């Protein structure tokens, strides 16, 4: 059939309509601030930089839907917490979200345009390890297990092993782990990662007879011993995701102990296709630190996202799924999730945290770093 002019015009108009719909879907024409894709055309895009330990939370479709119900399409990229302050044009983001209050303070001091800082939830520092390792450490007075099944590692006793350059095969009961490697907790890169800074602060606190390091002079005396904890590891990953991934993939022979956030272990343990085996275990250093995840906002949209993370009950439930402990009105969400999963005893209850180390001042930690 020969097409006439009206037919051709109609076909062209239909084609243009289809192209227009595709353009709207791909490029977000008609959205709120920020542009870009999302769930619906009426969502406001909010962009941020987060510590790698929170990337999977923000990527979770359920989390995205929870934000979408409030009108937001939240998109994030990840960075080491202490590296964030040096990222170019950080204040062009809506928010930055490191893993501690002191890393947030670093951003607040170095980056212009900060509107506010918000301590939103927390995760205790923990050690991902293996049952045979804990049993060896228990025989040597370094680890213990309470009546509920929760493991702890005595950091003072551990640091004595490190100071003596103790090898695993020198320990009592090491028949099942005849490794000539030095007893050492693997961590992240001290130059960029908050979890490594927390490990550093924890070790300094213990070396100071369970007291806060208060001066550069005091810190200077500790530097040789503290440096050994990191330099002797060799290469370190730049964020908390890297050594934990090695732990999961390479096993006890390569990574017998790694300093992580508690939430990383719980998140991996409860997700479909978890790589955590029966021989893998979580232990808490004694004393420990709470890593308080603190948002630094640069826009009203960033402030709105921070408020939702603090107050929204659905987001508190999802934070628990990803291993984070909410505070305030939603503080019970973590314990409820752990109980639902039948994991009571594997993760410490809030009342069991009675020996919490204190961070040094921002100036002293900066000097140590």
């Amino acid at each position: 059939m020969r097409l006439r002019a009206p037919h051709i015009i109609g076909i062209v108009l239909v084609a243009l309509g289809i192209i227009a719909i595709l353009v709207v879907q791909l490029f977000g024409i008609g959205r709120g601030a920020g542009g870009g894709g999302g769930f619906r055309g009426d969502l406001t895009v909010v962009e941020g930089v987060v510590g790698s330990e929170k990337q999977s939370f923000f990527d979770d479709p359920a989390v995205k839907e929870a934000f979408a119900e409030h009108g937001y399409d939240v998109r994030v990229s990840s960075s080491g917490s202490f590296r964030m302050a040096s990222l170019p044009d950080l204040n062009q983001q809506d928010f930055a979200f490191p893993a501690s209050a002191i890393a947030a303070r670093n951003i607040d001091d170095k980056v212009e345009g900060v509107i506010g800082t918000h301590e939103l939830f927390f995760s205790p520092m923990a050690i991902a390890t293996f049952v045979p390792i804990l049993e060896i450490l228990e025989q040597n007075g370094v680890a213990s297990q309470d009546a509920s099944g929760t493991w702890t590692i005595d950091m003072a006793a551990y640091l004595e092993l490190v100071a003596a350059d103790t090898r695993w095969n020198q320990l009592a009961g090491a028949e099942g782990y005849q490794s000539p490697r030095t007893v050492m907790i693997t961590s992240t890169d001290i130059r960029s990662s908050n979890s490594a800074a927390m490990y550093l602060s924890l070790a300094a606190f213990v070396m100071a007879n369970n007291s806060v390091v208060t001066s550069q002079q005091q810190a200077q005396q500790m530097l040789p011993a503290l440096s050994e904890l990191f330099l002797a590891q060799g290469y370190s990953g730049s964020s908390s995701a890297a050594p934990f991934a090695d732990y999961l993939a390479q096993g006890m022979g390569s990574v017998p102990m790694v300093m992580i956030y508690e939430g990383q272990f719980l998140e991996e343990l409860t997700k479909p296709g978890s790589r955590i085996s029966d021989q893998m275990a979580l232990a808490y250093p004694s004393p420990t630190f709470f890593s308080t995840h603190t948002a630094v906002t640069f826009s009203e949209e960033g402030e709105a996202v921070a408020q939702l993370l603090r107050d929204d009950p659905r987001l508190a439930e999802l934070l628990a799924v990803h291993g984070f402990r909410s505070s305030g009105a939603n503080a019970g969400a973590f314990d409820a999730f752990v109980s639902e999963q039948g994991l009571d005893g594997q993760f410490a209850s809030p009342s069991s945290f009675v020996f919490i180390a204190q961070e040094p001042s921002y100036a002293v930690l900066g000097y140590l770093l």
Side-chain angles (χ1 to χ4, degrees):
M1 181 179 69
R2 191 171 185 178
L3 296 177
R4 298 181 180 179
H7 295 149
I8 295 173
I9 292 172
I11 292 170
V12 170
L13 289 174
V14 169
L16 288 173
I18 293 171
I19 292 171
I21 291 172
L22 291 173
V23 168
V24 168
Q25 290 178 338
L26 289 172
F27 297 101
I29 295 174
R31 296 184 184 283
F39 290 90
R40 302 187 304 268
D42 58 347
L43 297 183
T44 297
V45 173
V46 187
E47 297 179 329
V49 180
V50 303
S52 62
E53 72 288 334
K54 292 187 286 290
Q55 180 79 55
S56 61
F57 168 76
F58 282 98
D59 288 345
D60 186 337
V63 172
K64 289 185 174 295
E65 183 59 36
F67 280 123
E69 289 174 0
H70 294 279
Y72 296 105
D73 176 8
V74 180
R75 306 176 185 180
V76 301
S77 58
S78 65
S79 167
S81 291
F82 274 90
R83 181 174 288 170
M84 282 186 198
S86 63
L87 294 177
D89 301 322
L90 181 66
N91 56 8
Q92 298 305 303
Q93 301 286 326
D94 294 295
F95 64 91
F97 206 167
S100 72
I102 201 163
R105 168 76 181 278
N106 187 40
I107 295 171
D108 196 11
D109 283 353
K110 294 181 178 179
V111 182
E112 295 182 354
V114 172
I115 292 178
T117 59
H118 307 273
E119 297 183 0
L120 298 177
F121 46 86
F122 69 97
S123 184
M125 300 307 300
I127 298 167
T129 183
F130 298 84
V131 173
I133 294 295
L134 289 169
E135 291 174 343
I136 293 170
L137 293 176
E138 184 178 31
Q139 289 188 53
N140 290 269
V142 180
S144 60
Q145 190 176 28
D146 66 17
S148 69
T150 303
W151 284 95
T152 59
I153 291 178
D154 184 327
M155 289 303 290
Y158 160 73
L159 291 174
E160 288 178 4
L161 294 181
V162 175
D165 194 31
T166 307
R167 310 303 169 115
W168 284 105
N169 58 10
Q170 295 174 335
L171 294 173
E175 292 79 10
Y177 188 60
Q178 285 291 323
S179 172
R181 294 177 55 175
T182 304
V183 175
M184 184 75 63
I185 295 173
T186 300
S187 75
T188 46
D189 191 328
I190 193 66
R191 297 168 297 179
S192 62
S193 172
N194 178 74
S195 61
M198 295 295 96
Y199 179 27
L200 173 69
S201 299
L202 180 59
F205 180 86
V206 174
M207 289 181 185
N209 296 317
N210 296 326
S211 300
V212 177
V213 180
T214 58
S215 69
Q216 290 187 4
Q217 291 76 14
Q218 187 183 12
Q220 179 64 39
Q221 295 174 358
M222 298 178 175
L223 279 178
L226 291 171
S227 297
E228 187 69 15
L229 295 174
F230 298 93
L231 298 178
Q233 294 180 42
Y235 172 78
S236 299
S238 61
S239 72
S240 58
F244 187 56
D246 291 341
Y247 163 82
L248 294 170
Q250 299 174 17
M252 186 168 64
S254 177
V255 191
M257 297 188 293
V258 59
M259 186 69 68
I260 63 168
Y261 302 105
E262 172 196 60
Q264 290 176 275
F265 197 92
L266 176 59
E267 180 184 34
E268 177 65 31
L269 181 63
T270 57
K271 76 180 186 182
S274 171
R275 292 172 288 173
I276 292 180
S277 69
D278 291 342
Q279 289 298 292
M280 293 177 172
L282 187 74
Y284 295 90
S286 179
T288 190
F289 266 134
F290 288 164
S291 187
T292 305
H293 297 267
T294 305
V296 181
T297 58
F298 300 102
S299 71
E300 292 182 3
E301 290 77 15
E303 283 279 302
V305 166
Q307 181 176 347
L308 288 172
L309 287 168
R310 183 188 63 213
D311 298 334
D312 186 75
R314 176 57 180 155
L315 285 171
E317 293 173 357
L318 292 168
L319 282 167
V321 171
H322 289 269
F324 299 110
R325 297 177 183 244
S326 297
S327 54
N330 298 312
F334 181 89
D335 287 343
F337 176 72
V338 168
S339 181
E340 288 169 5
Q341 297 296 314
L343 298 173
D344 299 291
Q346 292 191 47
F347 296 89
S349 64
S351 60
S352 66
F353 290 113
V354 295
F355 191 9
I356 308 299
Q358 295 172 273
E359 292 177 278
S361 69
Y362 178 67
V364 170
L365 180 56
Y367 177 76
L368 286 170
L369 291 171

